[in-house]
Amino acid sequence: MPINYETIDLPPSECFRILRWNADVNQVETLDAKIGQFRPMQGTGGQWHWHYEVEITLVESGNGVRVVGNETKEIAGDSDLVVLGRGLPHSWDFHGPSSGVCVQFSDTRIMNSLTDLGRTEMVKLVERAANGIEIPARFCEASIRILRGLAANIPTNHLETHGQLIQLLGTLASIHTQQARQISTIRFDNHQSIVNYVEMQKTVNWIMEHYDTDIQLQEVLDLVQMSKATFSRHFPKCTGVSFSQFVNQVRISNASRLLQTTLEPISVIAYRTGFSNLSNFNRIFLKLKGVSPSTYRQLEKARHKALPPTKSDSIR
């Protein structure tokens, strides 16, 4: 999964675009202002990528891994809302179907349509988003309603859509700093910062593909052609954790998926996700998840029974 630069071609008269997806984050629809309808296009959400536009993404449903900057986090359920600043690399790797809505906008273009107070709030929001911010659903119900409306309804005209976007930005800017969590501990607001992390992302991609094998550090050192000391210095900067911790996170994430979606014995799942013995698997799972694998399976089974039949209906 090499890092990609995404060019978002906004027409001269536009300052934003709206995307939505109902099953595959790489198969999206975008609102075409000229025809007033959503049309299909190839998405990039599943690729580790960056762009110069600010992004607001709401994951309505889906379980998987979200990578933003140097943080890798497992997400489960619904209403995962993030605001991502210019140049901040990101991707989503879902274990199955997912749904959501995304707004990407040029903050420099949109400034022209704001009041002085609006510009001040916009500057604050963009600055906070430089490292990415995650906002719990209980603090952003109004923002979620607006995003759902943008994805579910085709506005009668462009001005109406623009007005909803301004309202969305206002609600996000008004959220108190203590109600939002900074995602990445490192800023990626220039191209060179991103280039410096490409080699480490090769490692991340390799681990994602080989987590079920007996991974040896030397294999990775050969891949990126680094000494152990250099690698050990750079890898935590990219991922926020050590090499062994990241491997365990990926393995436990995939084990969680299998516990949710299969009836395989826990011992089989442990070996399928790269653990050489069951006791080690149980210990690491408990450390990362806070519960044992068997308890996790029971809790997920109960949670899915309590969910509505289709979480993605709200954006169809």
Side-chain angles (χ1 to χ4, degrees):
M1 186 172 60
I3 192 167
N4 295 295
Y5 164 62
E6 180 185 11
T7 301
I8 299 177
D9 292 320
L10 296 174
S13 60
E14 302 287 344
C15 60
F16 65 92
R17 74 175 182 182
I18 301 170
L19 308 174
R20 68 182 185 185
W21 77 95
N22 276 319
D24 185 349
V25 71
N26 293 314
Q27 299 295 327
V28 304
E29 295 178 311
T30 183
L31 180 60
D32 190 325
K34 292 182 179 179
I35 61 176
Q37 295 180 354
F38 280 94
R39 58 176 176 80
M41 64 172 286
Q42 186 69 32
T44 59
Q47 306 171 22
W48 207 58
H49 69 287
W50 67 282
H51 43 72
Y52 285 114
E53 289 71 23
V54 181
E55 176 170 318
I56 304 165
T57 293
L58 170 67
V59 174
E60 284 275 56
S61 65
N63 298 330
V65 175
R66 182 189 71 208
V67 182
V68 173
N70 69 336
E71 180 189 81
T72 300
K73 180 180 179 180
E74 184 173 345
I75 58 174
D78 57 354
S79 299
D80 181 71
L81 178 63
V82 295
V83 185
L84 309 177
R86 296 186 299 261
L88 185 62
H90 53 279
S91 69
W92 285 263
D93 180 17
F94 291 104
H95 301 325
S98 64
S99 62
V101 55
C102 171
V103 176
Q104 298 165 331
F105 65 92
S106 167
D107 59 302
T108 54
R109 290 192 191 182
I110 208 169
M111 286 287 189
N112 296 327
S113 60
L114 299 176
T115 63
D116 290 342
L117 177 60
R119 292 191 185 98
T120 301
E121 293 299 313
M122 171 65 73
V123 171
K124 289 166 55 179
L125 177 62
V126 171
E127 176 62 26
R128 291 170 63 190
N131 294 69
I133 52 176
E134 173 189 277
I135 308 172
R138 65 183 182 277
F139 296 133
C140 57
E141 293 179 355
S143 299
I144 291 175
R145 283 196 299 270
I146 296 171
L147 283 165
R148 286 173 175 166
L150 288 170
N153 305 312
I154 299 177
T156 56
N157 57 64
H158 179 70
L159 288 177
E160 181 182 344
T161 309
H162 187 272
Q164 290 177 329
L165 175 61
I166 298 300
Q167 183 183 3
L168 172 64
L169 297 176
T171 59
L172 290 172
S174 66
I175 294 173
H176 195 276
T177 304
Q178 294 180 349
Q179 296 173 328
R181 183 183 71 87
Q182 178 179 291
I183 300 176
S184 177
T185 60
I186 300 174
R187 292 185 64 146
F188 292 77
D189 48 6
N190 64 71
H191 181 64
Q192 188 58 46
S193 296
I194 297 169
V195 171
N196 290 339
Y197 283 80
V198 172
E199 290 302 314
M200 292 300 98
Q201 191 57 30
K202 287 182 182 179
T203 303
V204 170
N205 183 49
W206 189 88
I207 293 171
M208 294 289 192
E209 294 178 353
H210 297 85
Y211 68 88
D212 56 346
T213 67
D214 181 22
I215 292 178
Q216 298 296 321
L217 177 59
Q218 188 58 50
E219 294 177 280
V220 174
L221 298 180
D222 293 340
L223 175 70
V224 296
Q225 297 184 341
M226 286 185 180
S227 68
K228 183 178 180 180
T230 301
F231 178 85
S232 298
R233 184 171 67 253
H234 286 292
F235 189 80
K237 291 181 180 180
C238 178
T239 64
V241 294
S242 69
F243 174 74
S244 60
Q245 288 173 325
F246 185 81
V247 171
N248 283 334
Q249 287 179 357
V250 173
R251 285 173 169 169
I252 294 302
S253 174
N254 281 277
S256 300
R257 171 177 55 84
L258 293 174
L259 287 168
Q260 294 176 40
T261 59
T262 75
L263 297 176
E264 291 184 343
I266 292 175
S267 59
V268 173
I269 291 176
Y271 291 115
R272 280 190 60 186
T273 51
F275 289 93
S276 58
N277 64 78
L278 183 58
S279 61
N280 190 39
F281 170 72
N282 287 332
R283 178 179 60 82
I284 294 175
F285 194 99
L286 178 62
K287 180 180 179 180
L288 294 182
K289 291 293 187 179
V291 295
S292 67
S294 58
T295 300
Y296 179 86
R297 173 174 266 171
Q298 293 170 0
L299 291 173
E300 284 299 306
K301 183 178 180 180
R303 185 178 70 85
H304 282 291
K305 282 185 177 180
L307 289 175
T310 55
K311 287 295 291 180
S312 59
D313 285 347
S314 59
I315 67 167
R316 287 179 179 171

